[in-house]
């Protein structure tokens, strides 16, 4: 019988869990023995009793839990210390952050552990149900807009009152991938006037279908990779892009950046000069802060005030909605285990 272990997340501020009781029951029904660490699901609203009822064994000895497992499912990558406790032949599936974790990758390889990086799930039809990046990015886009609305000194929708008409907030979203598109949809639902930009012309139709205006900037040859990510721009293209975006930022109440280049540091899209052009009371939310940030001098983990402009650099925005973030992540990894 295959033993699947789910340890409690130890990364600071992580509220998600890799497997929820609903999917524990599914794996147990398939014949797996599921063991979870005490308190594993508290952050996502799941008590130990729910895991027991689903057929899991609750284990308080973390080292024993990890050392005996055939498959280990986590959200975040393990520490180097814990990686070496995994037995040879075990399978680890998590957000491995492989490009930034050479020592960890080396330790896992030396220990004979098969490590599956959930970020590298291909964007194919067969693998769609395992696509953790898309499921979590969608929630990041939603949460980013909610945080922006909370930090803004304006309401989002237009409102007609006896005291006069309040005009809708202007929201500019840079990057129309999964996170950006969800941010557009959420901002529109809240009643904002939304404009969006992406270097990939192919997403213009998607942006418009959500009711937003697509900002067109003639940069010459651009496009996307086979995996659907934006290609890196030349220095000249970046300069042209920034000039056009600066004008839009100056007129916006909220700017949300969601642009990443796969396997590389996130590109700087909102410069200090662009921030200087924005009105006091404006809000900038950087959804790419964990991969370096799209906003110049963004402070990871902080909401900073820069001459009256709030710059939100909060990491792990999916963790702001851990119940649904865990539900989606759990569904993704359960599909992975079922498939293979």
């Amino acid at each position: 019988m295959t033993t699947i272990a789910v340890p409690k997340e130890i990364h600071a501020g992580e509220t998600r869990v890799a497997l929820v009781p609903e999917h524990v029951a599914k794996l147990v029904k398939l014949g797996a023995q599921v063991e979870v660490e005490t308190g594993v699901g508290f952050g996502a609203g799941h008590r130990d009793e729910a895991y027991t009822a689903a057929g899991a064994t609750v284990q308080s000895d973390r080292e024993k839990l990890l050392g005996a497992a055939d498959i280990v499912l986590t959200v975040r990558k393990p520490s180097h210390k814990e990686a070496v406790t995994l037995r040879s032949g075990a399978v680890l599936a998590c957000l491995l952050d492989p490009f930034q974790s050479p020592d960890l990758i080396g330790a896992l390889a030396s220990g004979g552990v098969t490590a599956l990086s959930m970020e590298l799930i291909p964007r194919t039809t067969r693998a769609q149900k395992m696509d953790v990046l898309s499921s979590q990015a969608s929630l990041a886009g939603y949460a980013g807009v909610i945080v922006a609305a909370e930090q803004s000194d304006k309401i989002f929708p237009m409102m007609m009152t006896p005291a006069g008409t309040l005009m809708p907030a202007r929201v500019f979203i840079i990057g129309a991938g999964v996170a950006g598109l969800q941010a557009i949809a959420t901002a529109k639902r809240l009643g904002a006037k939304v404009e969006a930009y992406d270097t990939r012309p192919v997403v213009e139709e998607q942006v418009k279908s959500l009711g937003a205006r697509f900002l067109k900037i003639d940069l010459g040859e651009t496009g996307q990779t086979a995996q659907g990510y934006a290609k890196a721009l030349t220095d000249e293209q970046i300069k042209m892009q920034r000039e056009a975006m600066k004008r839009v930022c100056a007129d916006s109440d909220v700017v949300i950046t969601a642009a990443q280049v796969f396997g590389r540091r996130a590109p700087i899209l909102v410069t200090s000069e662009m921030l200087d052009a924005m009105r006091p009371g404006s809000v900038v939310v950087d959804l790419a802060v964990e991969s370096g940030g799209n906003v110049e001098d963004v402070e990871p983990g902080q909401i900073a005030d820069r001459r009256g402009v709030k710059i939100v650099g909060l990491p792990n925005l999916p963790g702001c909605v851990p119940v649904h973030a865990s539900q989606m992540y759990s569904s993704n990894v359960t599909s992975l285990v079922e498939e293979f």
Side-chain angles (χ1 to χ4, degrees):
M1 181 180 289
T2 299
T3 301
I4 299 175
V6 185
K8 189 175 181 179
E9 297 294 323
I10 57 174
H11 188 276
E14 184 55 79
T15 53
R16 295 171 290 179
V17 62
L19 207 59
V20 300
E22 172 191 352
H23 297 122
V24 167
K26 195 171 186 179
L27 293 174
V28 169
K29 190 174 181 180
L30 289 174
Q33 177 181 333
V34 180
E35 298 187 356
V36 303
E37 185 178 2
T38 303
V40 68
F42 282 5
H46 301 292
R47 298 182 185 278
D48 289 346
E49 293 84 354
Y51 284 96
T52 302
T57 301
V58 179
Q59 170 73 266
S60 60
D61 189 332
R62 184 182 179 90
E63 187 173 341
K64 182 179 178 181
L65 174 76
L66 293 172
D70 298 306
I71 300 173
V72 178
L73 303 177
T74 64
V75 178
R76 300 278 187 167
K77 62 188 177 185
S79 65
H80 188 282
K81 181 180 179 182
E82 288 193 327
V84 298
T85 67
L86 302 180
R87 69 172 188 79
S88 178
V91 175
L92 167 69
C94 65
L95 292 170
L96 195 57
D97 191 22
F99 299 107
Q100 307 299 323
S101 314
D103 292 341
L104 175 62
I105 300 299
L108 291 167
S110 297
V113 175
T114 297
L116 305 179
S117 178
M118 296 304 293
E119 301 99 318
L120 297 180
I121 295 289
R123 284 180 165 170
T124 63
T125 302
R126 182 182 175 192
Q128 193 171 27
K129 60 188 177 182
M130 313 169 203
D131 188 357
V132 164
L133 279 188
S134 291
S135 69
Q136 300 304 295
S138 180
L139 291 172
Y142 166 84
V145 174
I146 300 303
V147 170
E150 182 182 19
Q151 294 297 322
S152 177
D153 57 6
K154 293 184 176 181
I155 64 169
F156 270 35
M158 182 176 75
M159 189 175 293
M160 300 179 72
T161 76
T165 300
L166 304 179
M167 299 306 293
R170 297 173 65 96
V171 176
F172 180 37
I173 294 166
I174 306 173
V178 175
L181 290 172
Q182 185 58 246
I184 292 169
T186 303
K188 286 296 293 182
R189 283 195 291 265
L190 290 178
K193 183 176 182 180
V194 183
E195 190 165 8
Y197 171 72
D198 195 289
T199 58
R200 300 164 296 165
V202 69
V203 303
E204 179 179 354
E205 185 178 339
Q206 294 172 288
V207 168
K208 288 181 175 179
S209 73
L210 293 171
R213 177 178 177 272
F214 185 77
L215 173 65
K216 291 186 178 182
I217 306 174
D218 186 4
L219 299 177
E221 181 64 29
T222 61
Q224 62 183 17
T225 66
Q227 292 291 315
Y229 296 94
K231 290 183 178 179
L233 300 179
T234 65
D235 290 343
E236 184 61 30
Q237 287 175 319
I238 290 172
K239 182 179 179 181
M240 294 165 60
Q241 176 183 263
R242 286 175 176 172
E243 282 299 318
M245 290 195 301
K246 178 183 175 181
R247 293 190 290 271
V248 181
C249 287
D251 291 332
S252 300
D253 301 301
V254 170
V255 174
I256 297 175
T257 66
Q260 302 194 51
V261 179
F262 188 70
R264 297 173 58 181
R265 187 196 184 284
I268 295 295
L269 300 179
V270 179
T271 63
S272 296
E273 185 180 358
M274 294 161 71
L275 292 170
D276 288 340
M278 296 181 69
R279 295 187 296 265
S282 301
V283 178
V284 180
V285 179
D286 191 338
L287 299 185
V289 68
E290 288 190 85
S291 57
N294 296 141
V295 182
E296 193 167 17
D297 297 328
V298 64
E299 298 180 33
Q302 303 293 322
I303 299 177
D305 187 299
R306 187 183 186 281
R307 301 177 62 183
V309 176
K310 290 183 180 178
I311 303 175
V312 179
L314 300 180
N316 188 22
L317 285 174
C320 294
V321 285
V323 172
H324 286 135
S326 298
Q327 179 183 329
M328 294 173 78
Y329 186 94
S330 178
S331 177
N332 293 145
V333 294
T334 298
S335 294
L336 179 77
V337 173
E338 284 182 310
E339 181 82 14
F340 296 106

